[in-house]
Amino acid sequence: MKTGMKGLRRVSAVAITAGAVLTAGAFTASAQAATTATPTIAAKGGFVMNNGTGKSLFTKAADTRRSTGSTTKIMTARVVLAQPNLNLDAKVTVQKAYSDYIVDNNWASSAKLIVGDKVTVRQLLYGLMLPSGCDAAYALADKFGTGSTRAARVKSFIGKMNTTAKSLGLTNTHFDSFDGIGHGANYSTPRDLTKLASSAMKYSTFRTVVKTKSTKQKVTTKSGGYRYMSWTNTNNLLGSYSGTIGVKTGSGPEAKYCLVFAATRNGKTMIGTVLASSSVDNRTADAKKIMDYGFKQ
């Protein structure tokens, strides 16, 4: 009889232990489900993918066309870097038209280029991507477009932007400006902009520029002397989100607050876009949320 009681106790203990394991397992599964719940973002559109596999990990109105603001400048840089026999150290003289453009457009952000200075193409790329200089964008469009007049060269350059978009399969993308200050037909989608950024990140110069928090560049003045230009990156993810490697901010009255972003952790790279977020802080928070979500997948 005693032996029977011991056996019963052992069976009961096993049953209780098994039940505890099952209960703990259920709690663990529940906790994991909670931590990987699809995030809610302030932006009207969002997308993130694994850059290595191309797998989509988060979508919100990912194929809805929206104004892109200065994230347009990713394509400006991409067109420049794809030029045959590109000399990044070639010098460009800053024209009055570039600074006048800043004055004439209220939403134009500036690299504060000084008329008569000679800056290299590489320096213009820093001025384009860090402080989001519309004057730098204009200089690059003027330099790398073709035509006998500045207007013709700019038109030609924007044409190259659209040709490149087609070649990359960006079917919901169109540009009518070199910097994102559009004229009614400058748009893209979170998915398309992410694909564009992924393509641009294949260029080592682009990767170097967009992960730079700040830079001090020595440029030649009109008189033959030199001055230093200091530029700080507008991408708040740099320094605030571990593993951030780029990419580009954007804003505007129609675009609201946009961000194309990328980060690498443990050999995995997330790349994505948020469009039409409600503030600078929210676009940064949105990007962090959906990258966190992507890294957990």
Side-chain angles (χ1 to χ4, degrees):
M1 186 69 179
K2 287 180 182 176
T3 305
M5 286 299 293
K6 284 181 182 175
L8 187 58
R9 289 190 191 111
R10 279 199 297 270
V11 171
S12 299
V14 169
I16 291 166
T17 303
V21 169
L22 285 170
T23 305
F27 279 129
T28 304
S30 167
Q32 285 175 340
T35 57
T36 55
T38 305
T40 300
I41 59 173
K44 289 183 179 177
F47 180 78
V48 77
M49 74 178 188
N50 182 315
N51 196 46
T53 64
K55 183 180 179 182
S56 302
L57 299 172
F58 174 90
T59 62
K60 178 183 177 181
D63 300 305
T64 300
R65 296 174 177 181
R66 299 187 190 280
S67 177
T68 57
S70 286
T71 61
T72 296
K73 290 165 182 157
I74 298 169
M75 181 60 91
T76 310
R78 171 68 172 72
V79 169
V80 170
L81 290 168
Q83 296 302 302
N85 305 312
L86 176 65
N87 178 8
L88 288 166
D89 297 315
K91 291 190 175 180
V92 176
T93 302
V94 178
Q95 304 296 315
K96 186 174 182 291
Y98 312 156
S99 56
D100 286 348
Y101 178 80
I102 299 294
V103 173
D104 293 341
N105 290 277
N106 291 333
W107 273 85
S109 44
S110 177
K112 295 181 169 56
L113 300 178
I114 295 171
V115 177
D117 280 4
K118 291 179 172 60
V119 294
T120 66
V121 171
R122 190 191 314 274
Q123 289 169 335
L124 284 173
L125 288 169
Y126 277 100
L128 175 78
M129 300 303 285
L130 272 65
S132 198
C134 295
D135 43 359
Y138 197 167
L140 289 166
D142 193 9
K143 166 75 174 172
F144 291 101
T146 55
S148 57
T149 65
R150 184 172 292 118
R153 290 190 292 274
V154 166
K155 185 178 179 181
S156 157
F157 187 86
I158 295 168
K160 291 180 183 182
M161 294 170 72
N162 286 312
T163 299
T164 303
K166 284 181 183 175
S167 73
L168 294 174
L170 310 183
T171 54
N172 287 309
T173 297
H174 186 267
F175 301 104
D176 68 2
S177 74
F178 48 74
D179 59 358
I181 299 178
H183 308 283
N186 204 96
Y187 57 80
S188 188
T189 68
R191 191 189 307 271
D192 274 8
L193 277 174
T194 302
K195 288 180 179 177
L196 169 59
S198 180
S199 170
M201 290 291 271
K202 291 175 182 175
Y203 292 87
S204 60
T205 299
F206 186 88
R207 292 195 303 274
T208 299
V209 169
V210 298
K211 73 180 181 184
T212 302
K213 277 187 75 173
S214 62
T215 186
K216 194 174 183 180
Q217 298 284 331
K218 186 178 181 179
V219 303
T220 306
T221 64
K222 187 176 183 179
S223 62
Y226 66 88
R227 80 172 92 246
Y228 286 97
M229 302 297 290
S230 295
W231 295 311
T232 301
N233 204 316
T234 55
N235 182 1
N236 292 338
L237 287 171
L238 291 164
S240 75
Y241 188 82
S242 174
T244 298
I245 54 174
V247 175
K248 183 74 188 75
T249 61
S251 62
E254 187 183 353
K256 305 305 178 189
Y257 297 92
C258 312
L259 182 58
V260 181
F261 49 85
T264 299
R265 291 181 178 178
N266 300 318
K268 187 189 292 186
T269 298
M270 292 298 123
I271 189 163
T273 301
V274 289
L275 293 182
S277 194
S278 50
S279 68
V280 169
D281 287 345
N282 281 338
R283 75 182 174 194
T284 305
D286 287 343
K288 289 178 179 179
K289 280 183 190 177
I290 61 177
M291 279 196 289
D292 281 346
Y293 180 72
F295 279 121
K296 287 171 185 170
Q297 302 308 303

